[in-house]
Amino acid sequence: MTLFRQIYSLLFGLFLLVVASLGYVQFNETRNFLASQMESDLNNVSHSLGLMLVPALEAGDMATVETMVNVIFEGGYYRKVTLTWLVDGKQQTWNNDIRIDDVPQWFINLDLFPTIEKETTITSGWIQLAKLKITAHPGFGYHELWRIMSNTIIVFSILFLIAIFSARLGLTWILKPLHEIAEHAKSIAKREFGPDMPLPKTLELRDVVTAYNSMSAQLKQIFNSLDEEVTALRKKNLVDQVSDLPNRQYMMARLNSWLSEPGSGAIILVRLDWLEQVHSKYGYQVRDATIKLLASKLQESFTEFDSVIARIAAYEFAFLVTNAEREQLSKYLQTLIRTINQEMIKADCKPNEDYAIGIAERMEHCTTSDLLAQADNALQKAVQAGKIYHWFESGEQQLFTREQWREKLSYAINQKQFLFRWQPVQHYDQSGIIHHELFCQLQLGDKLIHAGQFMPYIELLSLGSMLDRCLIEKIIEEKLLDKSPQIIAVNLTHQSIGDQQFHEWLNQYLRETAHHGRLAFEIQEASIYSDGKASEALCSVIRDNGATFGIDHFGRQFGSMTYLQTLRPSYVKLDQAFAQFDDNQHNAELCRALVNVARGLDIDVIATGIQQDTQLQRFELLKIQGYQGYIAPPVNID
């Protein structure tokens, strides 16, 4: 029971006790007063009737006696009159049958008034004529007592309602600061650090509010410190100190993660020998300033592309361009050449000289070492041939043209030709499965095409929202939720994050789905950084309908982790790069800091990309909740 209800019940009980006590006293006082009044009235009537009957009794006129008795009956509440002559002992009795109106019978049956009788002797001088005995009827007492108590109860009821209503308003106002403290405490428990509470007027609560404000500020400071620690460790371990670009270690990790997922694009290696000329002419300080300026211009030039730029050696840069095909890569390459030439002119160097570019496109079943070797081979050929750039030609034929992919994918989505596989996400303590992550394949005739082949074209052709609708509907249609007691997680494409129509459709679909609580949706961290408002709106739709969501590739992007406080996901999945980092102390510190940020907000952490037990052992001291990878590979759904 809440404190409000406890106080309210106490006041209610005390008021009832006071009202009952007052009512009891009022009842007894009124009853005694009415009994006394009836007894006094009976004395007066007995005395008056005795005086009036003397002449009639002396004359023996019984008719007059009876008339006077009837007058008495008609003028008041009297039950019986008995007249006894003392001469011969003759007795006559008159009875009066009185009916009490407007008083319930149960009240009369309470027998609240005792029988009141008055006996007097009628005399004429010294001669005693007769004895007169009058018995009063309690009808007057019941009638007046009922009327008075009824009015009293009505008044008390009105006062009671007014008092209770006033007490409710008063308690609500008095306890408002306490309610605000409780809500503030709940927010702190959820790791939601809002503005400080204003100090209440109630002196006893000021210290409590001050303590809560202090605790909230300290917890917020701890979270900000963890966030700052992550930023510092990233800059220390994964950022080149001269250019402020990602370093070789980060690029290698991104390459591994990128090649382990569906995607398209290329790796571009650039060697800038003209920077050595700048070093020879002006010294290392000017060279470093030139590198820093060049890095800044490169980042500005490629904001419209999905790419990662890294400095991997003194005069070498690597460009990982994702979700792009040959036409977009060509545009990227031209922008790169133009930016380099502009910076060379500023450095008093001749454009289109003393640098070379090698491009290697991603092909099916390509490994990191293969792709880097191809890009380096293309770079060396460009140097040998004296050209600015060279494409590595693998000779691998594309499965379909872009328009063929559009036609086939649109038809497959409309006909729901996709097949499902799922991969278990295991509890770290081996106690079971947390959830299953869903993967899809495409059946085209007799060919089974995996996601790595068609997902790049889903993104390129802006079919992501359509595909997500298709897969979510197919989960329910094929009753996959009945085939697993665990939650089923679905990856959402980047296009669905910013598609308002998809938000509205998902909201309606989850409302109409009985098992929405068994669905989880995974959002890539990159989508959150690129469109935070749309991500927050989609997460609200998912949360409000009882489903859950998680953040995929957690820790991949460079940026603040404060979005976790706003979105509040159920879990985060560490980027695969953290499973592939070597065992040096700096990488372990960065991973620990990321885990602490999530755990500090009561968010579960899942490691991904786990291939071997040795990788899993690296997370033992971090107290993560689960892991996922080809240590437990995806399987077909029966």
Side-chain angles (χ1 to χ4, degrees):
M1 183 182 293
T2 63
L3 179 61
F4 175 86
R5 289 186 177 180
Q6 290 178 353
I7 297 177
Y8 194 66
S9 300
L10 177 61
L11 293 178
F12 183 85
L14 291 176
F15 192 83
L16 277 180
L17 180 61
V18 171
V19 168
S21 300
L22 291 176
Y24 179 76
V25 172
Q26 177 72 14
F27 179 82
N28 286 331
E29 290 294 327
T30 303
R31 185 181 63 176
N32 294 336
F33 172 76
L34 290 175
S36 176
Q37 186 176 1
M38 287 190 295
E39 186 175 1
S40 176
D41 182 65
L42 183 60
N43 290 334
N44 293 335
V45 170
S46 178
H47 181 68
S48 299
L49 183 58
L51 294 177
M52 289 186 296
L53 289 178
V54 171
L57 291 176
E58 291 179 339
D61 187 358
M62 293 304 298
T64 301
V65 172
E66 187 167 353
T67 299
M68 291 182 179
V69 171
N70 289 332
V71 170
I72 293 300
F73 282 156
E74 292 175 0
Y77 288 87
Y78 306 102
R79 178 177 293 167
K80 184 171 64 172
V81 175
T82 302
L83 188 64
T84 304
W85 280 266
L86 296 178
V87 177
D88 54 5
K90 183 180 179 182
Q91 187 180 73
Q92 188 168 353
T93 302
W94 292 271
N95 293 306
N96 183 23
D97 186 14
I98 298 178
R99 181 179 178 182
I100 306 174
D101 297 327
D102 302 328
V103 179
Q105 186 60 41
W106 65 265
F107 188 72
I108 297 173
N109 293 338
L110 295 177
D111 197 19
L112 300 174
F113 296 97
T115 302
I116 302 176
E117 296 179 339
K118 181 63 177 179
E119 186 176 55
T120 59
T121 302
I122 302 174
T123 60
S124 177
W126 296 100
I127 302 174
Q128 293 182 346
L129 300 177
K131 286 185 178 182
L132 179 64
K133 183 179 180 182
I134 303 176
T135 303
H137 193 286
F140 171 77
Y142 285 113
H143 187 276
E144 289 301 308
L145 184 59
W146 175 258
R147 180 183 62 81
I148 293 172
M149 295 311 298
S150 297
N151 293 336
T152 301
I153 290 173
I154 292 173
V155 172
F156 278 178
S157 298
I158 294 174
L159 292 176
F160 178 77
L161 293 176
I162 294 174
I164 290 300
F165 183 73
S166 301
R168 186 176 185 86
L169 292 179
L171 281 176
T172 301
W173 181 76
I174 292 173
L175 295 177
K176 183 178 179 182
L178 195 59
H179 176 71
E180 292 175 353
I181 292 173
E183 293 300 319
H184 193 66
K186 291 179 182 178
S187 299
I188 294 176
K190 296 177 182 178
R191 278 73 167 180
E192 297 174 359
F193 312 116
D196 287 347
M197 292 179 60
L199 293 178
K201 296 181 180 180
T202 308
L203 296 178
E204 290 81 355
L205 295 179
R206 287 193 173 189
D207 292 339
V208 178
V209 172
T210 301
Y212 271 113
N213 287 340
S214 176
M215 181 170 59
S216 177
Q218 291 177 21
L219 290 175
K220 186 176 182 180
Q221 180 61 37
I222 290 173
F223 178 82
N224 291 337
S225 298
L226 289 172
D227 191 33
E228 292 171 0
E229 182 183 1
V230 169
T231 302
L233 288 171
R234 279 174 170 168
K235 189 172 182 178
K236 179 180 179 181
N237 302 329
L238 303 177
V239 176
D240 177 64
Q241 302 302 313
V242 175
S243 63
D244 286 334
L245 292 174
N247 58 18
R248 184 181 187 88
Q249 182 181 3
Y250 179 80
M251 176 57 76
M252 292 298 295
R254 280 299 304 271
L255 271 173
N256 289 328
S257 297
W258 176 56
L259 291 175
S260 66
E261 303 164 355
S264 62
I267 182 71
I268 302 175
L269 296 181
V270 181
R271 192 172 78 186
L272 304 176
D273 292 333
W274 60 271
L275 289 173
E276 177 61 31
Q277 298 178 18
V278 174
H279 185 197
S280 300
K281 290 181 180 180
Y282 307 107
Y284 76 92
Q285 292 180 332
V286 175
R287 181 202 63 184
D288 290 349
T290 303
I291 291 174
K292 192 176 187 67
L293 182 60
L294 174 62
S296 176
K297 292 297 181 181
L298 289 172
Q299 289 178 314
E300 292 177 3
S301 300
F302 298 118
T303 53
E304 62 179 293
F305 296 94
D306 187 5
S307 65
V308 179
I309 307 172
R311 185 185 180 212
I312 60 176
Y315 304 126
E316 289 189 13
F317 291 77
F319 299 78
L320 174 59
V321 188
T322 60
N323 298 322
E325 54 182 0
R326 177 60 71 95
E327 181 181 348
Q328 293 170 305
L329 290 173
S330 298
K331 183 179 178 181
Y332 191 96
L333 178 61
Q334 296 304 317
T335 303
L336 175 61
I337 294 172
R338 183 171 61 253
T339 303
I340 293 174
N341 284 333
Q342 290 173 351
E343 296 306 309
M344 290 183 70
I345 294 173
K346 293 179 183 179
D348 197 22
C349 296
K350 292 183 180 180
N352 294 325
E353 294 184 6
D354 294 324
Y355 72 90
I357 302 173
I359 308 104
E361 292 184 78
R362 174 177 174 174
M363 297 299 173
E364 188 175 358
H365 306 303
C366 184
T367 65
T368 302
S369 58
D370 292 339
L371 191 62
L372 287 174
Q374 293 169 4
D376 185 66
N377 180 269
L379 177 65
Q380 297 303 323
K381 287 187 177 181
V383 172
Q384 294 170 4
K387 298 191 300 182
I388 297 176
Y389 66 89
H390 181 80
W391 291 80
F392 179 84
E393 301 294 343
S394 66
E396 182 177 345
Q397 297 294 325
Q398 295 292 332
L399 190 60
F400 301 110
T401 65
R402 181 169 181 168
E403 289 306 313
Q404 287 175 330
W405 272 117
R406 183 190 302 276
E407 179 183 354
K408 293 182 181 298
L409 288 173
S410 298
Y411 180 80
I413 291 173
N414 291 329
Q415 299 299 318
K416 299 181 180 177
Q417 294 179 332
F418 296 91
L419 304 177
F420 285 126
R421 305 180 79 201
W422 60 25
Q423 184 178 33
V425 176
Q426 308 276 353
H427 281 285
Y428 190 82
D429 59 3
Q430 310 294 332
S431 61
I433 297 175
I434 298 176
H435 66 253
H436 283 100
E437 181 177 350
L438 213 59
F439 298 100
C440 63
Q441 297 174 318
L442 178 59
Q443 184 74 44
L444 290 180
D446 57 349
K447 293 182 179 180
L448 186 63
I449 302 175
H450 58 79
Q453 293 175 285
F454 66 81
M455 280 305 297
Y457 292 94
I458 290 291
E459 297 287 352
L460 290 172
L461 300 173
S462 299
L463 298 175
S465 298
M466 294 177 59
L467 176 65
D468 287 341
R469 288 193 190 190
C470 166
L471 298 181
I472 294 171
E473 289 176 344
K474 195 173 177 67
I475 289 173
I476 305 301
E477 292 175 3
E478 295 192 359
K479 300 180 179 180
L480 296 189
L481 296 174
D482 296 336
K483 299 180 180 180
S484 170
Q486 291 84 22
I487 290 175
I488 293 180
V490 183
N491 287 282
L492 296 180
T493 61
H494 178 72
Q495 183 187 357
S496 296
I497 307 301
D499 188 347
Q500 182 61 33
Q501 292 183 345
F502 177 80
H503 292 193
E504 296 173 356
W505 173 85
L506 184 62
N507 183 48
Q508 185 66 30
Y509 189 81
L510 290 177
R511 287 183 179 180
E512 297 173 354
T513 302
H515 303 293
H516 48 253
R518 300 273 311 286
L519 288 173
F521 299 91
E522 295 187 1
I523 301 172
Q524 295 186 21
E525 189 180 57
S527 299
I528 297 172
Y529 280 108
S530 63
D531 196 345
K533 290 185 177 179
S535 299
E536 185 176 350
L538 180 60
C539 292
S540 297
V541 168
I542 296 171
R543 185 189 301 107
D544 294 344
N545 286 284
T548 56
F549 65 92
I551 306 299
D552 204 4
H553 307 310
F554 178 65
R556 171 181 290 186
Q557 306 298 316
F558 286 100
S560 173
M561 302 283 104
T562 53
Y563 72 85
L564 293 176
Q565 295 188 61
T566 303
L567 299 184
R568 294 305 173 114
S570 298
Y571 61 90
V572 293
K573 288 186 174 180
L574 289 171
D575 189 60
Q576 293 186 16
F578 293 102
Q580 298 163 0
F581 280 156
D582 53 31
D583 293 327
N584 68 58
Q585 182 179 357
H586 298 308
N587 293 332
E589 288 179 353
L590 176 58
C591 189
R592 175 191 55 77
L594 281 170
V595 172
N596 286 341
V597 169
R599 295 293 298 135
L601 295 173
D602 199 25
I603 299 171
D604 292 341
V605 180
I606 297 171
T608 61
I610 304 298
Q611 313 286 349
Q612 303 170 352
D613 289 333
T614 55
Q615 292 176 313
L616 189 60
Q617 291 171 2
R618 297 174 187 171
F619 297 92
E620 183 176 359
L621 298 178
L622 300 181
K623 306 299 182 182
I624 62 174
Q625 281 65 49
Y627 65 92
Q628 178 183 12
Y630 273 83
I631 194 171
V635 295
N636 294 326
I637 301 175
D638 295 333

